């Protein structure tokens, strides 16, 4: 069989300009890949966040600990429940290779907790860390409202007086090293106002549970 | 090696066709998008994503985007109903790509997915991961490839780009892991597997039960990632091996780590890799010989060379600037062989004291420019770069110890002081170096050494007594090693201009910015830090009394963060002949020198001390010894204004 050649490849100005732009994008991605935050000048140029990919998965310091969002409930009679996960751990199955909608939620929780801890650390370094400042931070409010939603769902019949949530660091499946988790942040007690179906925080009311 | 080459020759050197490559890229990317959008639409528990999205949207609108136009564009998606509608449309676009549709439809679907990826990303930034970025690249590349009809060269440029990003993703992931000790010692894999978020109970138990096998798996992953560019060796004969291994790696990650969307997203970049690594000419199924256009790698190589040349030029220009230093600098060679750069300013009146400024770790004299100005209006000021900083030169061979720094300091001061009285002023590590230099300078200058001023000084026992300082030291151990290495590699151009630079006097800002991105500062800091760490472990590092008076200032923020520092500074104050002791309001460890107002406050207190020290009669404010902690520890004792007269005498003798 005689092979026939394809038509000319069609190089032209548009191709050259596009190739140059893509090459520039590639080198910008290289420049944005430095593992140290101190060398993030190019990465910060991408204000959107999607254009310069972060290819440093689990590097250089892998996540060897879990963050857990936990809560406990105080009943009207003053009894306090044990701590419980707001979002129970999801154990892997083969089905997760194609279908795992909760993954985005667990990653979002991880990201928000990580952000709040970074903020707390920065405030501590500046000597400005106190509960008032931290509780006013939106990431804190997201976690508070998320926890409140879980409490309402699970304790609907009990009319709890309020709840408290905490961020812990723990070793997950490691039952040998598993000790008491490290409490990284514990909220103050957050009272519920049952009649209005709302909870009250810092004197203001925040609606929850409107799904 | 010969065997490997021989084996590679027996592997088939073929590649898929251009159109098939593009179709596979589009379809795998579409699968990733379809999974993502359907999961979004079906996920029943909206609480966290919804509230996180609101917070992310708020950040995007208020902080991320500065241009009103950009804000307006991204503001379109700041509504949950819009986001839901977009996800439904994205699912439709993904299905269109999975179906056998025409070029225009495919172009539109690819472009829509890529554009909405970019539009939604800032709003959904909590919960996104590398799969979102990979699938965005896949669809963007495919859209470019389909942009113009009958332009195979354009398609090839886009496919080359995707292949380059794919190769980069594994390579960066591999080499960045090697920087982490957990990856090098094999603890990373079991460490990740034990977490609920990214792990699996059974896999973790297996990793613990068979540690050698676990380390082997970890090392294999590292090898695969680090050497991924080798897929291009031997005319791409190894590419299927690398791509196949990477695909298996993603399947394992999907099952064990819950990274299911990574599977189609990263697989979407593999067809382009097989296409570009393979032979340039290939016979397609229809019998045509298809020739790949390799313009992109040439442009990429040229761009890389230009980028390296630009980086080298920037490095050289910055180095010249650092070496040139400031106007008015002079040089002095000490008995250690080091060449110090120094600067005299302020009063030249022989009867007024000469204040010698000793800077902290990783600090050049330009960062003390405010102090120079404030004190220069009343006294003579001698500031100098320790060896290796700025334009000074480290010439000594052999191990560096703090003794070298002390010899340099005493030699310079003895040479420059003439008959003037001298006061040492040290910030941070410079405070402790000044303290150590007192006996030597007393030996050289006699009574002309009038006192010592300590600004948020280092104390030799701080790493033992302050957990915060110890944690900081562990950070510095690694930080100086890494930063000095990267700076020597010429990567200073990747650093941001630090915020404190623009708080300094205008005339030194550019020079300080250049010094910050230059290896000289970091190499000197690394050398000094190692010497400090070694010295602090020795018995002779213990704080000894000095026979001159001192003013000991603690930055308010330091006192607030770490109360131990107050005790340590009290101890320093008690170890001097007599002392002024202050906690300076509105100051931090760095701002006490690099910011105008805080440094003015510190300078005012130092000046009050110098004036009293110059009378030579000692402190006559309070002759009753007091417990330092009573006077100075509570923050209520803070000096609140530069003009305050609430000096807190710690001890009088």
């Amino acid at each position: 069989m005689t092979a026939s050649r394809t038509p000319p490849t069609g190089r032209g100005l548009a191709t050259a300009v596009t190739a140059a732009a893509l090459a520039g994008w590639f080198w910008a991605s290289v420049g944005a890949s430095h593992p140290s935050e101190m060398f993030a000048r190019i990465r910060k140029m991408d204000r959107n966040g999607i254009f310069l990919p972060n290819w440093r998965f689990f590097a250089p310091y892998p996540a060897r600990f879990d963050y857990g969002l936990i809560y406990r409930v105080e009943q009207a009679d003053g009894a306090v429940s044990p701590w419980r996960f707001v979002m129970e751990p999801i154990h892997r199955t083969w089905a997760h290779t194609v279908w795992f909608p909760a993954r985005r939620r667990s990653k979002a929780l991880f990201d928000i907790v990580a952000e709040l801890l970074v903020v707390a650390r920065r405030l501590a370094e500046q000597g400005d860390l106190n509960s008032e400042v931290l509780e006013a931070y939106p990431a804190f409010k997201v976690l508070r409202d998320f926890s409140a939603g879980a409490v309402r769902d699970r304790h609907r019949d009990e009319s709890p007086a309020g709840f408290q949530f905490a961020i812990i660091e723990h070793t997950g499946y490691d039952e040998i090293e598993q000790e008491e988790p490290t409490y990284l942040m514990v909220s103050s007690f957050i009272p519920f106002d049952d009649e209005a179906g709302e909870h009250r925080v810092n004197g203001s009311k925040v609606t929850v549970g409107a799904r | 090696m010969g065997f490997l080459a021989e084996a590679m020759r027996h592997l088939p050197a073929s590649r898929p066709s251009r159109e098939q490559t593009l179709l596979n890229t589009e379809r795998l990317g579409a699968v990733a998008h379809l999974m993502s959008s359907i999961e979004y639409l079906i996920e029943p528990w909206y609480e966290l994503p919804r509230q996180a999205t609101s917070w992310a949207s708020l950040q995007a609108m208020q902080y991320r985007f500065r241009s009103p136009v950009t804000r307006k564009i991204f503001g379109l998606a700041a509504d949950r109903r819009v986001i839901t509608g977009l996800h439904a449309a994205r699912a439709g676009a993904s299905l269109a790509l999975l179906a056998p549709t025409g070029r225009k439809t495919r172009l539109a679907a690819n472009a829509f997915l890529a554009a909405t990826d970019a539009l939604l990303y800032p709003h959904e930034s909590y919960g996104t991961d590398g799969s979102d970025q990979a699938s965005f690249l896949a669809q963007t590349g495919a859209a470019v490839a389909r942009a113009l009809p009958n332009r195979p060269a354009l398609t090839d440029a886009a496919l080359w780009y995707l292949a380059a990003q794919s190769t980069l993703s594994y390579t960066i992931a591999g080499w960045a892991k090697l920087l982490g000790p957990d990856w090098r010692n094999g603890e990373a894999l079991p460490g990740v597997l034990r977490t609920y978020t990214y792990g699996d109970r059974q896999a973790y138990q297996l990793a613990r039960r068979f540690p050698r096998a676990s380390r082997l798996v970890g090392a294999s992953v590292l090898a695969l990632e680090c050497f991924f560019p080798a897929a291009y060796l031997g005319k791409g004969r190894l590419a299927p091996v690398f791509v196949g291994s990477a695909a298996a790696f993603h399947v394992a990650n999907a099952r064990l780590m819950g990274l299911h969307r990574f599977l189609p997203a990263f697989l979407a970049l593999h067809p382009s890799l097989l296409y570009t690594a393979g032979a340039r000419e290939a016979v397609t199924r229809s019998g045509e010989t298809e020739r790949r256009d390799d313009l992109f790698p040439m442009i990429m190589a040229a761009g890389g060379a230009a980028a390296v040349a630009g980086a080298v030029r920037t490095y050289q220009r910055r180095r010249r600037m650092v070496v040139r230093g400031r106007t008015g600098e002079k040089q002095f060679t000490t008995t250690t062989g080091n060449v110090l750069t120094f600067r005299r300013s302020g009063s030249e009146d022989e009867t007024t004291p000469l204040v010698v400024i000793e800077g902290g770790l990783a600090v050049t004299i330009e960062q003390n420019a405010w102090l120079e100005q404030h004190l220069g209006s009343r006294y003579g000021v001698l500031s100098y770069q320790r060896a290796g900083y700025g334009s000074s030169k480290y010439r000594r061979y052999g191990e560096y110890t703090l003794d070298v720094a002390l010899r340099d300091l005493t030699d310079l001061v003895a040479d420059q002081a003439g008959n003037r009285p001298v006061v040492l002023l040290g910030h941070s590590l410079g405070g402790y170096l000044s303290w150590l230099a007192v006996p030597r300078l007393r030996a050289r200058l006699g009574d002309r050494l009038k006192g010592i001023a300590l600004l948020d000084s280092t104390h030799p026992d701080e790493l033992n007594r302050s957990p915060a300082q110890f944690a900081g030291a562990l950070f510095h151990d690694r930080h100086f090693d890494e930063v000095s290495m990267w700076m020597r590699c010429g990567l200073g151009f990747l650093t941001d201009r630090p915020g404190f630079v623009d708080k300094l006097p205008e005339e030194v800002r550019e020079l300080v910015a250049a010094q910050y991105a230059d290896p000289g500062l970091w190499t000197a800091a690394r050398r000094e830090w190692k010497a400090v760490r070694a010295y602090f472990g020795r018995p002779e590092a213990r704080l000894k009394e000095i026979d001159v008076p001192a003013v000991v200032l603690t930055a308010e923020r330091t006192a607030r963060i770490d109360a131990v520092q107050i005790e340590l500074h009290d101890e320093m104050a008690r170890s001097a002949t007599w002392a002024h002791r202050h906690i300076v309001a509105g100051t931090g460890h760095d701002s006490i020198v690099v910011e105008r107002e805080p440094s003015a406050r510190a300078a005012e207190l130092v000046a009050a001390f110098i004036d009293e020290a110059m009378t030579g009669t000692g402190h006559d404010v309070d002759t009753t010894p007091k417990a330092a902690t009573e006077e100075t520890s509570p923050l209520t004792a803070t000096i609140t204004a530069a003009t305050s007269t609430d000096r807190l005498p710690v001890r009088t003798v």
Side-chain angles (χ1 to χ4, degrees):
Chain A
M1 187 175 73
T2 308
S4 60
R5 286 188 176 272
T6 50
T9 57
R11 263 192 206 173
L13 186 62
T15 302
V17 169
T18 307
L22 292 175
W25 188 356
F26 171 78
W27 285 115
S29 305
V30 174
S33 297
H34 198 287
S36 166
E37 279 303 308
M38 190 175 157
F39 295 82
R41 184 178 175 189
I42 293 180
R43 199 182 321 147
K44 286 180 187 168
M45 289 177 183
D46 177 14
R47 301 192 76 77
N48 183 295
I50 201 172
F51 293 100
L52 296 179
N54 173 8
W55 298 139
R56 293 160 294 134
F57 308 114
F58 300 92
Y61 306 106
R64 297 180 61 225
F65 293 88
D66 266 313
Y67 293 136
L69 183 65
I70 57 174
Y71 73 91
R72 61 182 177 183
V73 170
E74 186 177 329
Q75 302 297 346
D77 61 3
V80 177
S81 73
W83 288 104
R84 185 177 166 185
F85 278 109
V86 173
M87 203 163 73
E88 295 291 346
I90 303 165
H91 305 293
R92 304 276 169 269
T93 66
W94 274 104
H96 287 160
T97 55
V98 290
W99 183 248
F100 189 9
R103 161 51 81 199
R104 209 177 274 281
R105 192 196 329 145
S106 64
K107 176 65 166 44
L109 180 64
F110 188 90
D111 289 347
I112 291 172
V113 167
E115 178 182 304
L116 189 63
L117 293 177
V118 167
V119 168
R121 199 171 300 129
R122 200 178 304 139
L123 288 169
E125 282 167 6
Q126 293 166 356
D128 297 329
L129 181 61
N130 60 57
S131 58
E132 207 169 297
V133 173
L134 200 64
E135 288 181 8
Y137 193 74
F140 180 94
K141 292 180 180 174
V142 170
L143 294 179
R144 181 196 66 200
D145 294 352
F146 181 52
S147 305
V151 173
R152 283 230 161 268
D153 267 359
R154 295 172 190 169
H155 302 268
R156 198 170 288 279
D157 303 329
E158 300 166 21
S159 304
F163 73 102
Q164 186 180 28
F165 72 92
I167 298 170
I168 56 167
E169 186 181 76
H170 62 101
T171 54
Y173 293 116
D174 193 339
E175 281 147 14
I176 298 167
E177 283 189 24
Q178 190 74 270
E179 294 170 2
E180 183 72 7
T182 307
Y183 287 77
L184 301 175
M185 196 214 73
V186 182
S187 81
S188 50
F189 176 75
I190 300 163
F192 274 119
D193 178 350
D194 280 317
E195 285 176 17
E198 295 167 332
H199 69 263
R200 204 186 299 273
V201 180
N202 294 339
S204 63
K205 288 182 176 181
V206 182
T207 303
V208 292
R211 288 199 270 159
Chain B
M1 290 303 286
F3 167 76
L4 189 64
E6 186 60 30
M8 279 171 63
R9 266 196 290 278
H10 284 90
L11 290 168
S14 62
R15 65 161 174 83
S17 73
R18 180 181 295 120
E19 182 58 24
Q20 195 56 49
T21 301
L22 186 52
L23 278 172
N24 290 343
T25 302
E26 288 173 321
R27 286 175 176 162
L28 285 161
V31 169
H33 277 102
L34 188 62
M35 284 166 77
S36 175
S37 286
I38 291 183
E39 284 184 352
Y40 179 91
L41 293 168
I42 289 181
E43 160 72 328
W45 199 4
Y46 283 144
E47 291 302 331
L48 184 64
R50 185 182 64 191
Q51 289 162 23
T53 299
S54 304
W55 166 223
S57 297
L58 185 71
Q59 286 184 92
M61 292 305 104
Q62 292 192 353
Y63 312 116
R64 278 196 195 207
F65 303 117
R66 291 174 189 156
S67 144
V69 178
T70 318
R71 283 184 181 178
K72 200 165 185 180
I73 292 169
F74 282 91
L76 294 173
D79 182 298
R80 183 160 185 83
R81 286 164 301 185
V82 174
I83 292 177
T84 304
L86 284 175
H87 275 292
R90 280 155 62 83
S94 303
L95 290 172
L97 286 170
L98 291 171
T101 44
R103 184 189 73 84
K104 286 183 180 171
T105 307
R106 304 189 81 75
L107 168 63
N110 281 317
F112 177 74
L113 287 175
T116 49
D117 276 335
L119 183 66
L120 291 172
Y121 196 82
H123 301 286
E124 298 181 341
S125 57
Y126 297 106
T128 55
D129 54 35
S131 69
D132 297 295
Q133 294 177 319
S135 53
F136 164 70
L137 289 178
Q139 246 62 57
T140 305
V144 171
R146 298 264 183 219
L148 296 172
N150 303 319
R151 290 289 181 98
L154 183 68
T155 305
D156 287 349
L159 293 177
W160 264 111
Y161 170 71
L162 295 181
Q165 283 286 7
S166 177
T167 309
L168 182 69
S169 69
Y170 295 106
T171 312
I172 292 290
W175 289 100
K177 284 187 180 82
L178 276 181
L179 295 172
D182 288 339
W183 285 105
R184 294 196 299 270
N185 66 23
E187 280 301 310
L189 187 63
V192 172
L193 286 175
R194 76 178 181 178
T195 63
Y196 290 151
T197 314
Y198 290 112
D200 176 77
R201 184 196 296 275
Q202 283 174 318
Y204 172 64
Q205 286 168 347
L206 281 173
R208 274 289 171 244
R209 206 166 142 201
F210 303 104
R212 279 189 187 176
S214 163
R215 276 198 290 276
L216 184 66
V217 171
S220 306
V221 169
L222 278 179
L224 171 69
E225 292 185 327
C226 290
F227 298 110
F228 206 81
Y232 281 86
L233 294 179
K235 295 184 180 173
R237 286 184 175 91
L238 284 177
V241 178
F242 275 92
V243 165
S245 305
F249 168 67
H250 287 299
V251 171
N253 288 348
R255 168 61 184 82
L256 302 178
M257 302 177 74
L259 299 175
H260 65 310
R261 280 182 286 114
F262 280 64
L263 183 61
F266 279 83
L267 258 53
L269 303 178
H270 287 176
S272 58
L273 202 142
L274 290 170
Y275 175 71
T276 53
R280 194 167 181 193
E281 285 193 356
V283 179
T284 62
R285 278 183 194 166
S286 58
E288 287 183 338
T289 299
E290 186 185 74
R291 188 176 167 81
R292 188 184 62 230
D293 187 82
D294 289 348
L295 177 67
F296 178 85
M298 288 188 282
I299 290 182
M300 190 178 86
V308 170
V312 169
R313 223 177 132 188
T314 307
Y315 175 91
Q316 289 172 334
R317 196 178 62 232
R318 194 184 297 125
R319 192 92 265 274
R320 280 197 298 274
M321 195 173 172
V322 169
V323 170
R324 196 163 55 236
R326 255 195 300 176
T327 51
E329 283 184 357
K330 293 178 182 168
Q331 291 199 320
F332 174 75
T333 305
T334 71
T335 54
T336 64
N338 291 333
V339 181
L340 305 183
T341 301
F342 67 93
R343 197 163 182 276
R344 296 283 299 259
S345 57
S347 168
E348 286 299 328
D349 179 355
E350 286 285 306
T351 59
T352 60
L354 180 68
V355 180
V356 180
I357 300 181
E358 183 74 23
L361 187 70
V363 168
T364 58
I365 55 173
E366 286 72 23
Q367 294 182 42
N368 298 321
W370 285 125
L371 286 176
E372 272 182 29
Q373 288 187 16
H374 299 317
L375 294 168
S377 60
R378 300 174 65 168
Y379 314 108
V381 177
L382 168 66
S383 51
Y384 80 103
Q385 312 274 26
R386 281 200 300 275
Y389 288 103
S391 49
S392 69
K393 297 178 183 70
Y394 183 74
R395 290 270 170 83
R396 188 178 166 78
Y397 292 101
E399 191 192 359
Y400 176 82
T401 61
L402 293 190
D403 180 64
V404 176
L406 296 175
R407 281 172 61 189
D408 286 347
L409 170 63
T410 45
D411 285 351
L412 177 70
V413 175
D415 182 77
Q416 288 294 308
N419 292 319
R420 294 178 74 163
V422 169
V423 173
L424 291 174
L425 184 155
H427 170 237
S428 190
L429 177 65
Y432 181 57
L433 288 175
S434 301
W435 189 278
L436 288 176
V438 166
R440 298 176 188 224
L441 282 170
R442 285 286 276 176
R444 304 277 286 262
L445 304 177
D447 288 343
R448 284 189 291 120
L449 181 64
K450 295 296 180 186
I452 179 170
L454 304 177
L455 274 60
D456 223 32
S457 174
T458 298
H459 182 291
D461 211 19
E462 67 183 24
L463 302 190
N464 295 326
R465 287 160 60 181
S466 161
Q469 288 294 329
F470 182 70
L474 294 181
F475 168 76
H476 283 133
D477 288 343
R478 204 180 63 222
H479 183 68
F480 289 129
D481 276 352
E482 289 179 1
V483 175
S484 60
M485 177 185 74
W486 294 123
M487 291 295 187
R488 284 198 302 275
C489 292
L491 298 186
F493 72 96
L494 289 178
T495 57
D496 255 337
R497 185 183 175 93
F500 75 84
V501 169
D502 293 313
K503 293 173 178 168
L504 291 167
E506 205 172 339
E507 63 272 18
V508 300
R509 288 177 191 169
E510 295 314 310
L511 179 55
V512 173
Q515 288 165 341
Y516 182 81
D518 181 74
L521 181 139
W522 298 99
T523 306
R526 175 176 179 264
R527 183 169 54 229
E528 288 188 340
W529 177 246
K530 284 189 183 300
V532 167
R533 285 288 260 159
Y535 188 74
F536 275 10
R538 294 182 193 155
E540 63 264 31
R542 195 180 74 250
L543 191 74
K544 296 182 187 71
E545 291 195 349
I546 53 171
D547 55 356
V548 293
V551 55
V552 184
L553 307 185
T554 304
E556 184 196 1
R557 205 166 288 155
T558 302
R560 206 155 7 116
I561 297 166
D562 187 8
V564 177
Q565 290 293 320
I566 302 173
E567 290 171 28
L568 296 170
H569 290 168
D570 284 352
E571 200 175 295
M572 293 181 105
R574 283 196 299 269
S575 301
T577 312
W578 56 264
H580 289 183
R581 178 76 176 94
H582 305 273
I583 295 169
V584 191
T587 60
H589 182 72
D590 295 324
S591 74
I592 202 166
V593 293
V594 299
E595 292 184 29
R596 188 193 184 105
E597 284 308 315
S599 63
R601 242 170 266 174
E604 188 70 25
L605 294 167
V606 170
F609 162 76
I610 292 175
D611 292 347
E612 199 162 306
M614 284 300 290
T615 63
T617 55
H619 198 285
D620 59 0
V621 175
D622 186 348
T623 54
T624 312
K626 291 179 178 177
T629 48
E630 283 176 20
E631 293 286 341
T632 61
S633 293
L635 287 178
T636 49
T638 295
I639 302 297
T640 53
T643 53
S644 170
T645 54
D646 297 328
R647 287 192 300 246
L648 300 168
V650 171
R651 193 183 73 169
T652 56
V653 174

